[in-house]
Amino acid sequence: MAHTLEALKSGQLKGSKTLKLACGLKTFPEEILELADTLEVLDLSDNQLASIPEWISQFKKLKIIFFARNAFTEFPIVLAKCPELNMIGFKTNQIQTVAEHGFPPKLNWLILTDNKIEKLPKSIGDCTLLQKCALAGNRIEALPREMSNCKNLELLRISANRLKVIPQWLFELPKLSWIAFSGNPGTYQFQLDTNLESFHWSDFTIKELLGEGASGYISKALWTSKEQEVAIKVFKGDVTSDGLPEDEMNVSIAAGAHESLIEVLGQIESHPEEKSGLIMKLISADFINLGYPPSMQSCTRDVFDAQSVFTEVELLKIAKSMASVCDQLHAKGINHGDFYAHNILVNPNADCLLGDFGAATFYDKNSIWSDYIQRVEVRAYGCLIEDILSLIPDNSIKSSTRQAWEILISDCFNPNVKSRPSFSEIIMRLGDL
């Protein structure tokens, strides 16, 4: 909930741990300094700020700051002086330069999506606690080799930049699990060969909005000529935190048919706003999200309802179906990039559907690095299995069986990326569980 400038100036917010102001600010209100001893979260998104005062370094408890949709052209180097600051967000500003040694010592979550950054500082390699880094939609031409020192990096978004080479060391990072790197000159240029039919927008009657993601809107619609209810995803056309909508659309088409993928029936033409869109099979209403997106506290890991409980049978069914669909994707040279429980739909029978290709990337499956790329995603698969296993009551699964699952998870987490099992190997191992 947003606060008001009046409440801040009147002293009503004294002692607050969180401050959120969105009121056209062009300069920092001096009254914020009165919260220096208590403030932990500062959200000044949707203002007109272009700089941060030096006195921000007095905020010894400040952990999280958001400055999305402001007017910054430089990353504020003063933030390096905030000892507890670990999450920084400057999405959709005009940032062009990020100076050396501008990151705070405890940084673990950095959001610089949709700016104009051309070069990253070598000192990013000093951010050894960095787990999550969002850089999509910039002008970065190369990643500094020093970034290979970020051994705790788990999620990386570098789509829609100007990278001439996707460096090999990326896929050797010991904890990297979720990576999006499409929309760069150095990305494998996949030629989509499809005979997917196009259908006129006027042949559909939109009934209701089913959901909205970063890349588009999904609606229930009536396909008039076929008298059939379908789902239509209309892409927004903007760069998202994951990448470019056209890449998501192409991957959705190229992924092919699989019982754990939502069937694509066609694509839209003649949309009144010239938007792209896909026509998909309408799935049953008893499918729900397997989990929820990571919280600020969990950082890279999904969260689940407190009452979520799974059985051993459900775990095995989910594990088999997801290993199978990932095996098919990687056989086609597709890295999902966002393989999470919150992007999986499940019904009461534990039937699963993997969705959201917003972070997906085509890669050359014949390259020497294809095995590494697949095994980065294998680590994400290990996270999923670990999460579900933790929600199975101890008394409902044999200790030997739980141990077998834990060994599989450990193998998926092997810091030596090449030593992890492939998805086809995982499928074979699941046959013995």
Side-chain angles (χ1 to χ4, degrees):
M1 188 179 80
H3 301 106
T4 64
L5 192 57
E6 291 72 23
L8 175 68
K9 290 185 174 182
S10 67
Q12 293 178 39
L13 303 181
K14 189 171 178 60
S16 295
K17 291 184 177 182
T18 300
L19 177 64
K20 180 179 174 66
L21 289 174
C23 49
L25 295 173
K26 293 184 178 179
T27 58
F28 265 65
E30 292 284 338
E31 290 81 2
I32 293 180
L33 188 54
E34 296 175 12
L35 307 179
D37 293 334
T38 59
L39 198 66
E40 296 180 8
V41 180
L42 177 61
D43 187 350
L44 297 181
S45 298
D46 299 297
N47 286 291
Q48 299 173 46
L49 297 167
S51 63
I52 295 177
E54 284 291 323
W55 48 253
I56 199 75
S57 61
Q58 298 178 39
F59 287 62
K60 303 303 182 186
K61 294 184 178 179
L62 188 61
K63 297 178 180 178
I64 298 169
I65 58 165
F66 292 120
F67 290 93
R69 296 170 297 280
N70 272 277
F72 287 86
T73 59
E74 296 181 2
F75 185 87
I77 197 167
V78 66
L79 295 180
K81 299 177 181 178
C82 297
E84 296 299 319
L85 189 59
N86 61 63
M87 184 175 181
I88 297 175
F90 280 90
K91 183 178 180 180
T92 312
N93 275 260
Q94 302 291 317
I95 296 175
Q96 298 177 30
T97 57
V98 183
E100 293 288 350
H101 310 295
F103 298 128
K106 293 190 177 180
L107 182 66
N108 80 327
W109 191 336
L110 178 65
I111 305 166
L112 295 174
T113 308
D114 190 21
N115 278 281
K116 297 179 178 179
I117 300 165
E118 296 181 359
K119 186 179 181 181
L120 292 175
K122 293 179 180 180
S123 58
I124 195 170
D126 297 333
C127 299
T128 54
L129 300 179
L130 187 63
Q131 289 178 260
K132 204 166 185 174
C133 186
L135 301 168
N138 279 283
R139 300 172 179 177
I140 301 167
E141 294 187 0
L143 296 180
R145 175 75 203 205
E146 289 79 4
M147 199 173 178
S148 62
N149 294 324
C150 298
K151 302 298 186 185
N152 283 300
L153 189 62
E154 294 181 80
L155 184 146
L156 179 63
R157 301 292 186 240
I158 50 172
S159 299
N161 272 282
R162 296 177 180 176
L163 294 167
K164 296 169 185 174
V165 175
I166 309 300
Q168 297 176 351
W169 53 258
L170 259 187
F171 306 110
E172 294 180 301
L173 289 173
K175 292 187 178 180
L176 189 64
S177 310
W178 302 276
I179 181 169
F181 54 101
S182 65
N184 284 287
T187 308
Y188 178 61
Q189 302 303 306
F190 179 81
Q191 297 300 314
L192 185 63
D193 181 18
T194 178
N195 54 4
L196 188 67
E197 196 169 351
S198 295
F199 299 91
H200 202 281
W201 176 255
S202 62
D203 200 16
F204 300 89
T205 302
I206 302 297
K207 288 191 163 187
E208 61 181 284
L209 183 68
L210 297 175
E212 178 185 356
S215 62
Y217 304 93
I218 300 178
S219 303
K220 181 194 283 189
L222 176 65
W223 195 339
T224 311
S225 61
K226 295 180 181 285
E227 297 184 351
Q228 174 187 353
E229 285 191 328
V230 295
I232 292 183
K233 180 162 188 175
V234 175
F235 294 93
K236 296 175 182 176
D238 300 322
V239 173
T240 71
S241 56
D242 293 330
L244 298 169
E246 57 260 38
D247 290 328
E248 177 181 355
M249 184 167 171
N250 289 338
V251 170
S252 299
I253 295 169
H258 190 283
E259 62 182 4
S260 292
L261 291 175
I262 301 170
E263 184 180 356
V264 177
L265 305 174
Q267 52 188 329
I268 292 295
E269 65 179 15
S270 302
H271 186 275
E273 296 176 12
E274 298 183 353
K275 302 283 190 184
S276 300
L278 290 176
I279 308 152
M280 298 176 290
K281 183 178 178 181
L282 185 66
I283 63 172
S284 171
D286 63 354
F287 277 91
I288 61 171
N289 289 90
L290 181 58
Y292 299 98
S295 66
M296 289 185 189
Q297 292 72 36
S298 69
C299 190
T300 58
R301 298 298 286 267
D302 272 345
V303 294
F304 295 81
D305 283 331
Q307 64 270 30
S308 287
V309 176
F310 291 90
T311 67
E312 181 186 340
V313 172
E314 290 170 336
L315 170 58
L316 185 58
K317 190 170 183 179
I318 293 168
K320 284 183 174 180
S321 61
M322 289 299 100
S324 174
V325 73
C326 285
D327 186 46
Q328 173 169 311
L329 292 175
H330 284 276
K332 293 173 175 284
I334 297 171
N335 184 69
H336 186 276
D338 208 15
F339 185 78
Y340 268 113
H342 70 262
N343 287 325
I344 297 170
L345 296 172
V346 63
N347 69 8
N349 296 321
D351 299 316
C352 291
L353 295 167
L354 177 63
D356 194 347
F357 286 98
T361 309
F362 290 111
Y363 67 91
D364 183 359
K365 62 181 186 293
N366 296 315
S367 75
I368 59 171
W369 288 97
S370 63
D371 287 346
Y372 284 80
I373 294 170
Q374 178 178 171
R375 285 162 174 80
V376 165
E377 194 128 278
V378 162
R379 192 178 191 282
Y381 176 87
C383 292
L384 172 71
I385 302 305
E386 184 179 55
D387 288 342
I388 299 174
L389 181 64
S390 71
L391 299 172
I392 298 178
D394 282 335
N395 59 4
S396 69
I397 183 171
K398 286 193 285 188
S399 59
S400 59
T401 305
R402 183 178 287 274
Q403 185 179 22
W405 282 109
E406 288 172 348
I407 291 171
L408 174 60
I409 293 164
S410 178
D411 289 346
C412 292
F413 285 177
N414 193 321
N416 183 344
V417 179
K418 190 69 184 290
S419 297
R420 296 171 193 162
S422 66
F423 282 111
S424 61
E425 290 167 340
I426 290 172
I427 292 169
M428 291 177 61
R429 290 175 61 168
L430 292 174
D432 297 329
L433 283 168

